Amino acid sequence: MKAFSKSWRSVLSAILALIMVVGMFPTMLAFEAKAADGALTAVQSAEANGNIVTVTFSDGITGKITFLEDDIFRYNVDPSGVFSEYATTVYGNTVKIPQYPDSYEAYSHPDASVSDADGYIVITAGDTTVKFEKSTAKMTVLYKGEVVMEEKEALVLGDRTTQTLVKNDGEDFFGGGTQNGRFIHTGESINIKNESNWVDGGVASPNPFYYSTEGYGVLRNTFLPGVYDFGKSEDGTVTAFHNENEFDAYYFLSDGETVTETAKELLAGYYH
């Protein structure tokens, strides 16, 4: 009994000491819980396996690039490491945004290759090249050798996940579903959220898809609310965020010589 009491007193002392430490440093545990918050800071490595490339960022965060066609790929950064095939709603149920899964047999699934040159991780499949600046984790996308999309800042993860892109002079933006009274969004900001508002300026049936006359389209694989700002808040900058701690998007690319041709090719990829 005496030995038991002594042992119990030791355990109790350890528990009290732990409580005191937590009380003295309450932010320590909070920091660990939010380790995935903030911008990606660097790329450590990338490894190809067929049409899928695993990218390792600093802090152990991983991303996946899945090439579906020469001009279609998926980019997913999931701090949890789960990489779910489909999105979930605020109610927790699974829903499909793409019509087919990535494994769909009609996709050509071009093999990818990875190289390391001049401070960049370079990933190539078919006519598409995705480059990550190793020191900043900023992504640039080229199609048939031409830059079509460029991140202005590294991807930011947290309660909202934000991609910030370069907006070029003369570049226009379309999409977002039923944005009443508007079909061209250059210099504006649109809500990707069902507001059940059918009057001018309201949103009745949003779609997390937009495309640019520079030759790219983005479909965010999420049902959670978001905002796309096409240069309204900051000239020369596009920001697109959704209220989730994961980035998941499909990209469609075009080298169309005219605005009409570009739109037709991007929408053909979207409806693939």
Side-chain angles (χ1 to χ4, degrees):
M1 183 67 181
K2 185 175 181 180
F4 175 82
S5 299
K6 187 175 181 179
S7 175
W8 174 249
R9 283 197 299 270
S10 298
V11 172
L12 181 60
S13 297
I15 293 173
L16 290 173
L18 178 61
I19 292 172
M20 290 177 66
V21 169
V22 173
M24 292 171 64
F25 303 101
T27 60
M28 185 183 298
L29 297 181
F31 175 80
E32 289 298 322
K34 295 183 178 181
D37 286 2
L40 299 176
T41 56
V43 179
Q44 295 180 347
S45 63
E47 182 178 355
N49 182 12
N51 68 309
I52 299 174
V53 177
T54 301
V55 182
T56 302
F57 299 96
S58 59
D59 299 324
I61 296 174
T62 58
K64 282 203 320 182
I65 296 178
T66 305
F67 291 95
L68 304 179
E69 297 287 358
D70 285 350
D71 54 359
I72 303 174
F73 70 93
R74 179 184 185 180
Y75 177 38
N76 186 192
V77 179
D78 185 354
S80 72
V82 174
F83 298 106
S84 300
E85 182 73 52
Y86 297 110
T88 56
T89 69
V90 293
Y91 306 106
N93 54 306
T94 300
V95 287
K96 294 183 179 180
I97 293 179
Q99 184 176 4
Y100 303 109
D102 295 349
S103 58
Y104 183 50
E105 61 184 12
Y107 289 132
S108 64
H109 300 115
D111 285 341
S113 63
V114 176
S115 61
D116 187 336
D118 301 322
Y120 286 86
I121 295 290
V122 182
I123 302 166
T124 302
D127 294 321
T128 298
T129 298
V130 181
K131 296 172 57 177
F132 287 97
E133 188 174 30
K134 293 173 66 176
S135 61
T136 66
K138 291 192 292 187
M139 181 177 72
T140 301
V141 178
L142 299 88
Y143 185 59
K144 296 184 178 179
E146 299 294 328
V147 174
V148 293
M149 192 195 81
E150 181 180 0
E151 286 186 333
K152 191 172 185 178
E153 300 175 9
L155 194 67
V156 176
L157 303 171
D159 292 336
R160 64 172 55 170
T161 295
T162 306
Q163 185 174 49
T164 303
L165 304 175
V166 173
K167 176 186 174 298
N168 297 292
D169 292 339
E171 182 177 10
D172 287 320
F173 301 88
F174 304 85
T178 306
Q179 303 283 332
N180 292 312
R182 298 154 290 165
F183 70 94
I184 181 170
H185 307 308
T186 311
E188 301 295 336
S189 177
I190 62 174
N191 293 332
I192 308 300
K193 178 182 180 181
N194 187 2
E195 300 172 344
S196 297
N197 186 347
W198 289 91
V199 301
D200 187 26
V203 183
S205 183
N207 185 342
F209 168 76
Y210 72 89
Y211 70 90
S212 158
T213 54
E214 285 293 300
Y216 74 91
V218 184
L219 173 64
R220 295 284 286 265
N221 188 27
T222 179
F223 267 85
L224 297 178
V227 175
Y228 300 165
D229 186 319
F230 301 107
K232 181 179 181 179
S233 299
E234 183 180 348
D235 189 40
T237 304
V238 173
T239 58
F241 74 78
H242 282 273
N243 297 334
E244 61 181 348
N245 189 25
E246 176 185 3
F247 182 83
D248 193 1
Y250 289 84
Y251 292 86
F252 312 91
L253 308 178
S254 166
D255 65 343
E257 295 183 0
T258 66
V259 172
T260 300
E261 186 176 328
T262 298
K264 288 174 64 177
E265 291 181 356
L266 294 175
L267 292 174
Y270 172 76
Y271 287 108
H272 190 287

